[in-house]
């Protein structure tokens, strides 16, 4: 994309530099950006001019000319007739010129284009009619004169060839308005010529009609009133008109090049910014760039802007945690160091408070002489990539932590099993000791099998190989079985288990084994992270078409920052104290996935460390069975399905 931008810049300059007319391109400070050879010749510029102000090269320019420049910079097309250019020790030059704004890629006025004509010779012609006639016949411009009723009495040879007339007689039989297209005549005769009559001269860009081919010739139509010497009454009009068809084409090429450049930039999916001055005080860009920086097209997104209120000044850029000065940014560095600046990863803080990650690079813009006149930068939003990288690093960290935890958890049961096996191999005389060792080994082996089963369940769910054997289940029965699996742990920890059953019997469609596993894991988690003598509450009730089961404890709680990741694999709650609790961090992840397979949801809540935790499971209720008399779940409790 940088090459495309540079190519467009070179094309613009080449169009100006090789234009067959006197034309120059200026920025908003009236500094030269390009000039045709004709311009350099007309204004006798022999010194380096790129980047230098017109007023520096020509300090004698009048305030009137400067005022016209300012009008052009505000959006008008203005002209100056018979502009006198004073020269040291030489005769003055007379210039006719037209200034019009040129529009930058951001839609704002970037400066002015001035099309100039040296009219010094024409003034001499006006002072001496005979000399004028002689010069007119040798001129390549269209030169003609008519009387006050607009009947031509002179057209030079070049003019007749230009419009396809064979002789002066034919020209004299053709009224002035016939030289123009019908749609242009009303404006010409009712507006332009009356102005010439009032002011003595006028200039307009208008189409001449070729009498043989019908071709349109764009002309710079400059007209002067001819006055009688004695009465000063207007007796006719004279014109020296220049064929500016090529000039118009060059101008159109400039406009089209600007449009192509803007289209290329706006179609780019990355942010493109550029500055047309070495100070980088103003930076603009494409639609993607303004979207990235939450700015409007007319905003100045330069961090080097002199205006403290500019959008670019409100942004902050960080690299590896350090805030960068504006001179350290890729665009500014590329211009200052006159070299390409490779991709830099930056964190961008916007005025809105949003932060995002960008990969930015910069390159200088050079003129035809190789001088740096500005710079471009490419900005790619890599926020998602950074998040993915952070997630990968976090997953890798949790994997390593898991492997360490797994090694620890496997070693805990294996050590007593090895001890028991070694002791038994030597022979144990006391049968009670043998029974004690075997019971201990069976407990440790059961713990080991439970760890392996949890890992296998996670693998099955992750690979989509787990199958649910769904049936209509009474929720109270499922919860009762879950309590049985964890009751010994709750009692050994001295916890109080508080039950609050639903006032009506609730049914769900589910896999009994897996739902028991879900609630058992949640109860085990509550018991594990609650210090001895704590309280564990188990509540279930109906909410709309869902059964809601809540497991609440008064344990160590969860940091708010961990709530979003607490159901991730291998995640364990961090404690301020140096205590390491058993488990490999798969129980909650397994519970969440099993609930989701049942079409439900699970969420965690905690007010913070030391504030306990709450896990809420929502499951869809089963459709009512015909002839079913719903009894309160309390009846199941009294039947012994639930204990506390």
């Amino acid at each position: 994309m940088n090459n495309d931008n540079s190519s467009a810049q070179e094309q613009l300059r080449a169009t100006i530099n090789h234009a067959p007319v006197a034309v120059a391109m200026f920025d908003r400070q009236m500094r030269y950006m390009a000039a045709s050879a004709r311009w350099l010749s007309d204004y006798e510029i022999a010194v380096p001019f790129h980047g230098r102000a017109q007023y520096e090269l020509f300090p004698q320019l009048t305030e009137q000319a400067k005022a016209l420049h300012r009008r052009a910079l505000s959006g008008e097309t203005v002209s100056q007739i018979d502009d006198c250019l004073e020269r040291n020790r030489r005769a003055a030059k007379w210039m006719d010129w037209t200034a019009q704004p040129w529009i930058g890629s951001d839609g704002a006025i970037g400066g002015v284009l001035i099309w100039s004509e040296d009219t010094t010779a024409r003034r001499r012609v006006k002072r001496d009619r005979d000399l004028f006639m002689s010069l007119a016949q040798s001129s390549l411009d269209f030169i003609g004169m008519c009387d006050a009723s607009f009947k031509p009495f002179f057209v030079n040879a070049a003019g007749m060839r230009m419009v396809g007339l064979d002789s002066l007689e034919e020209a004299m039989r053709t009224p002035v308005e016939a030289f123009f297209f019908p749609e242009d005549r009303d404006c010409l005769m009712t507006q332009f010529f009356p102005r010439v009559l009032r002011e003595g001269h006028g200039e307009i860009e208008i189409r001449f009609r070729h009498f043989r081919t019908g071709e349109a010739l764009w002309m710079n139509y400059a007209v002067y009133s001819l006055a009688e010497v004695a009465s000063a009454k207007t007796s006719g009009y004279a014109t020296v008109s220049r064929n500016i068809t090529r000039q118009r084409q060059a101008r159109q090429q400039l406009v089209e090049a600007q449009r192509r450049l803007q289209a290329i930039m706006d179609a780019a999916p990355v942010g493109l910014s550029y500055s047309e001055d070495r100070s980088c005080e103003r930076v603009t860009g494409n639609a993607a760039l303004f979207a990235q920086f939450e700015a409007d097209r007319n905003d100045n997104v330069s961090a080097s802007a002199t205006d403290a209120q500019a959008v670019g000044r409100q942004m902050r850029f960080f690299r590896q945690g350090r805030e960068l000065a504006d001179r350290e940014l890729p665009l500014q560095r590329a211009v200052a160091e006159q070299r390409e600046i490779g991709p830099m990863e930056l964190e961008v803080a916007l005025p809105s408070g949003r932060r995002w990650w960008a990969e930015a690079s910069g390159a200088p813009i050079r003129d035809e002489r190789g001088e740096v006149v500005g710079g471009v930068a490419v900005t790619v939003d890599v926020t998602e990539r950074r998040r993915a990288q952070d997630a990968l690093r976090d997953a890798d960290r949790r994997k390593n932590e898991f492997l360490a935890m797994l090694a620890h958890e496997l070693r805990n049961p294996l050590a007593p099993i090895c001890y028991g096996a070694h002791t038994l191999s030597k022979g144990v005389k006391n049968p009670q000791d043998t029974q004690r060792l075997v019971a201990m080994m069976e407990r440790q082996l059961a713990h080991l099998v439970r760890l392996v089963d949890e890992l296998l369940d996670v693998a099955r769910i992750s690979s989509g190989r787990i199958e649910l054997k769904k049936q209509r289940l009474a929720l109270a029965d499922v919860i009762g079985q879950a309590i049985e699996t964890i009751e010994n742990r709750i009692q050994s920890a001295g916890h109080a288990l508080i039950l609050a059953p639903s006032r009506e019997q609730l049914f769900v469609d589910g896999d009994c084994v897996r739902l028991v596993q879900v609630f058992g894991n949640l109860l085990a988690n509550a018991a594990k992270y609650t210090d001895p003598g704590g309280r564990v509450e188990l509540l279930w009730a109906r909410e709309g078409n869902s059964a809601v089961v809540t497991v609440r404890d008064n344990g160590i709680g969860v940091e708010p920052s961990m709530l979003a990741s607490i159901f991730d694999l291998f995640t364990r709650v961090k404690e301020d104290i140096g205590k390491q609790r058993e488990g490999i961090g798969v129980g909650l992840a397994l519970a969440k996935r099993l609930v989701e397979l049942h079409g439900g949801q699970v969420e965690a809540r905690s007010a913070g460390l030391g504030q306990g935790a709450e896990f809420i499971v929502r499951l869809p209720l089963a459709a009512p069975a015909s002839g079913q008399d719903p009894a309160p779940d309390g009846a199941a409790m009294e039947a012994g399905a639930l204990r506390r």
Side-chain angles (χ1 to χ4, degrees), residues 197-217:
L197 187 61
R198 291 191 307 270
E199 301 177 6
H201 60 85
E203 189 171 343
I204 190 174
E205 290 186 6
I206 196 168
R207 298 173 302 167
F208 276 28
R209 182 172 64 90
H210 195 282
F211 288 94
R212 298 290 180 263
T213 66
E215 177 188 2
L217 303 172

Side-chain angles (χ1 to χ4, degrees), residues 117 159 378 494:
E117 178 184 2
V378 178

Side-chain angles (χ1 to χ4, degrees), residues 9-29:
Q9 292 285 346
E10 292 300 327
Q11 184 179 357
L12 290 174
R13 295 192 183 92
T15 303
I16 291 290
N17 292 336
H18 296 92
V21 295
V23 57
M25 185 177 188
F26 300 88
D27 64 15
R28 292 193 62 85
Q29 285 72 42

Side-chain angles (χ1 to χ4, degrees), residues 333-411:
R333 282 187 57 192
V335 175
E337 300 174 22
Q338 302 188 19
R339 64 182 182 90
E340 293 185 3
I341 302 299
M344 298 169 56
E345 197 166 271
L346 306 173
E347 186 180 14
V348 184
L350 299 178
S352 65
R354 183 173 73 89
R355 286 176 173 257
W356 59 283
W357 286 91
E359 187 177 81
S361 56
I365 298 175
R366 301 179 185 274
D367 60 18
E368 67 276 6
R369 299 178 303 167
E371 296 293 329
V372 173
V373 295
V376 296
V378 178
T379 306
V380 182
D381 189 335
V382 295
T383 305
E384 292 303 320
R385 187 181 75 186
R386 283 280 305 200
R387 288 174 181 166
Q389 291 172 343
D390 291 343
L392 285 174
R393 282 192 291 268
D394 184 60
D396 186 63
R397 175 188 57 78
R398 287 190 285 111
K399 178 201 68 176
N400 292 333
E401 291 177 354
F402 162 72
L403 292 176
M405 287 188 295
L406 181 61
H408 176 75
E409 293 293 330
L410 291 177
R411 184 179 60 187

Side-chain angles (χ1 to χ4, degrees), residues 1-170:
M1 189 60 65
N2 289 340
N3 291 334
D4 291 342
N5 292 339
S6 299
S7 176
Q9 292 285 346
E10 292 300 327
Q11 184 179 357
L12 290 174
R13 295 192 183 92
T15 303
I16 291 290
N17 292 336
H18 296 92
V21 295
V23 57
M25 185 177 188
F26 300 88
D27 64 15
R28 292 193 62 85
Q29 285 72 42
M30 290 303 295
R31 293 179 297 211
Y32 275 93
M33 298 177 66
S36 67
R38 181 67 172 270
W39 178 281
L40 299 178
S41 174
D42 284 354
Y43 284 83
E44 300 178 2
I45 299 175
V47 297
F49 65 96
H50 283 88
R52 297 182 65 181
Q54 175 77 331
Y55 308 142
E56 176 188 353
L57 295 179
F58 299 96
Q60 68 272 34
L61 286 179
T62 65
E63 286 301 321
Q64 181 183 4
K66 294 178 181 179
L68 290 174
H69 294 165
R70 289 192 292 271
R71 286 172 57 189
L73 286 169
S74 68
E76 295 184 48
T77 297
V78 297
S79 298
Q80 177 66 45
I81 305 298
D82 292 338
D83 190 15
C84 181
L85 181 64
E86 298 289 345
R87 301 184 297 173
N88 293 332
R89 300 180 182 179
R90 286 181 292 172
K93 270 195 170 185
W94 295 87
M95 299 289 185
D96 290 353
W97 51 266
T98 298
Q100 68 178 89
W102 60 268
I103 307 303
S105 58
D106 58 348
I109 294 174
V112 296
L113 293 173
I114 298 181
W115 314 85
S116 176
E117 178 184 2
D118 185 351
T119 60
T120 305
R122 191 169 67 196
R123 284 182 62 86
R124 297 194 192 99
V125 172
K126 288 173 64 177
R127 289 195 301 265
D128 190 333
R129 183 182 179 86
D130 291 338
L131 182 58
F132 169 79
M133 299 294 286
S134 176
L135 293 174
Q137 290 296 358
S138 63
S139 174
L140 297 178
D141 292 333
F142 183 102
I143 300 177
M145 289 182 288
C146 67
D147 59 23
S149 61
F150 300 103
K151 294 181 179 179
F153 59 82
F154 173 79
V155 177
N156 68 340
M160 289 189 289
R161 288 194 301 270
M162 199 177 295
V163 297
L165 294 174
D166 293 332
S167 64
L168 180 58
E169 289 72 19
E170 185 180 4

Side-chain angles (χ1 to χ4, degrees), residues 106 282-285 290 294-302 311-312:
D106 58 348
R282 177 163 186 84
V283 173
T284 186
F290 289 113
E294 298 179 353
D296 296 328
R297 269 204 176 276
N298 293 329
D299 288 336
N300 183 4
V301 293
S302 173
V311 171

